[in-house]
Amino acid sequence: MADGKGRMAYGSDDTPESERSERAISHQANDESLGNGIMVPIHYHLMLSAVLFTIGALGVLLRRNTIVIFMSVELMLNAVNLSFVALARQWGSMDGQLIVFFVMAVAAAEAAVGLAIILMVFRNRETVNADELNLMRW
Amino acid sequence: MDAITFTVLSVLMVASAIRVVLNRSPVYSALSLVMLMSLLAVYFLYLDAHMVGVLQIIVYAGAVMVLFLFVIMLLNLQDSIQDYRQEKLWTMGILCATLFGELWFFFGRAGGESSAQHAVPEGFGTVISLSQKLFTDYLLPFEITSLLLLVAVVGAVVLAKR
């Protein structure tokens, strides 16, 4: 079902006209079912993203537990993803969503390596307190 | 997205974000973060980003957060009041207020005269349209991402093995 729809939208133009208009109508109805009454303007999404980003930055500054600091960084990444998706919707372009795709891949890699480092540090030092891990302090 | 949906979702998301930062126990922080990521996935669905919303659930709320919970349980940390910084709170507040003020100022101007939403093409945000763009325009970054993931896997294994 989804396969056929995509081929219709992006592939060759051999679909009959009647089928195409029917699909267009169904897509429109789908839009309305998600509540297209009064659209929230773009800066509302961006301001929500700003609030989440600031809360994440506050977490990085406020906490000493390395794992919670790490989770706050993930929170900041998610806030940025939100503004990318909102802007992609605003301009009707897929590029923003692709950037989010790459951000997710980088965040997954970062989480794997970062948590492995935290594990190793805990094994050597018996702590994950960021203030006690000052070996590389200038 | 209408105003009611936006209000409900944003209030819940900000509340769970504050719980992530302020909760004493790392396990509760992680669970609040799972809730935030699930809410964000719903938000993405409302913004016509179906594939990204599904990936958000699978990659973030699934894989990454399970990894976090595993490490938290492996380390067996005790909750402690020491976990919050008591000093330099003013500096922290000023830094965060400045950051927030800047973001608010510039983002608030985004809703100006050119803020009318563009029409989305059919199939916007679906697997097909996303992957079509991914394997044509973004092929090189995609391959580099696979290399990055390979390096991350090797690095994580080497670090955690010792």
Side-chain angles (χ1 to χ4, degrees), chain A residues 14-43:
Chain A
D14 55 357
T15 325
E17 189 62 42
S18 59
E19 197 180 339
R20 187 183 309 181
S21 61
E22 185 188 319
R23 286 227 172 95
I25 287 165
S26 77
H27 189 252
Q28 225 168 31
N30 202 20
D31 262 4
E32 274 158 18
S33 69
L34 278 179
N36 260 4
I38 309 155
M39 296 301 285
V40 173
I42 178 72
H43 59 285

Side-chain angles (χ1 to χ4, degrees), chain A:
Chain A
M1 164 70 196
D3 191 26
K5 194 174 176 181
R7 209 177 295 132
M8 195 276 296
Y10 285 90
S12 56
D13 258 341
D14 55 357
T15 325
E17 189 62 42
S18 59
E19 197 180 339
R20 187 183 309 181
S21 61
E22 185 188 319
R23 286 227 172 95
I25 287 165
S26 77
H27 189 252
Q28 225 168 31
N30 202 20
D31 262 4
E32 274 158 18
S33 69
L34 278 179
N36 260 4
I38 309 155
M39 296 301 285
V40 173
I42 178 72
H43 59 285
Y44 279 43
H45 302 304
L46 295 179
M47 282 172 167
L48 174 61
S49 156
V51 171
L52 292 177
F53 191 88
T54 312
I55 292 173
L58 188 68
V60 172
L61 294 173
L62 187 68
R63 299 299 294 262
R64 286 204 182 91
N65 188 335
T66 323
I67 294 179
V68 181
I69 291 176
F70 215 49
M71 282 196 265
S72 303
V73 173
E74 295 284 332
L75 176 58
M76 289 160 83
L77 282 173
N78 271 285
V80 175
N81 279 354
L82 169 57
S83 59
F84 269 125
V85 170
L87 285 166
R89 175 68 186 81
Q90 169 79 9
W91 297 108
S93 148
M94 289 295 296
D95 296 290
Q97 297 189 11
L98 280 152
I99 303 275
V100 171
F101 181 83
F102 290 121
V103 169
M104 277 179 187
V106 172
E110 171 230 330
V113 176
L115 289 171
I117 290 174
I118 289 175
L119 262 182
M120 207 179 76
V121 165
F122 185 78
R123 224 175 276 163
N124 290 333
R125 306 283 302 265
E126 295 288 316
T127 179
V128 288
N129 187 331
D131 281 5
E132 291 174 30
L133 306 173
N134 52 7
L135 191 68
M136 286 164 72
R137 201 175 203 168
W138 185 58

Side-chain angles (χ1 to χ4, degrees), chain B residues 14-27:
Chain B
V14 170
S16 45
I18 289 172
R19 269 178 67 83
V20 171
V21 168
L22 291 185
N23 218 306
R24 190 164 297 166
S25 157
V27 178

Side-chain angles (χ1 to χ4, degrees), chain A residues 50 54, chain B residues 95-109:
Chain A
T54 312
Chain B
L95 272 174
C96 282
T98 314
L99 175 68
F100 185 64
E102 281 174 16
L103 291 174
W104 193 267
F105 178 70
F106 285 111
F107 285 170
R109 287 150 60 112

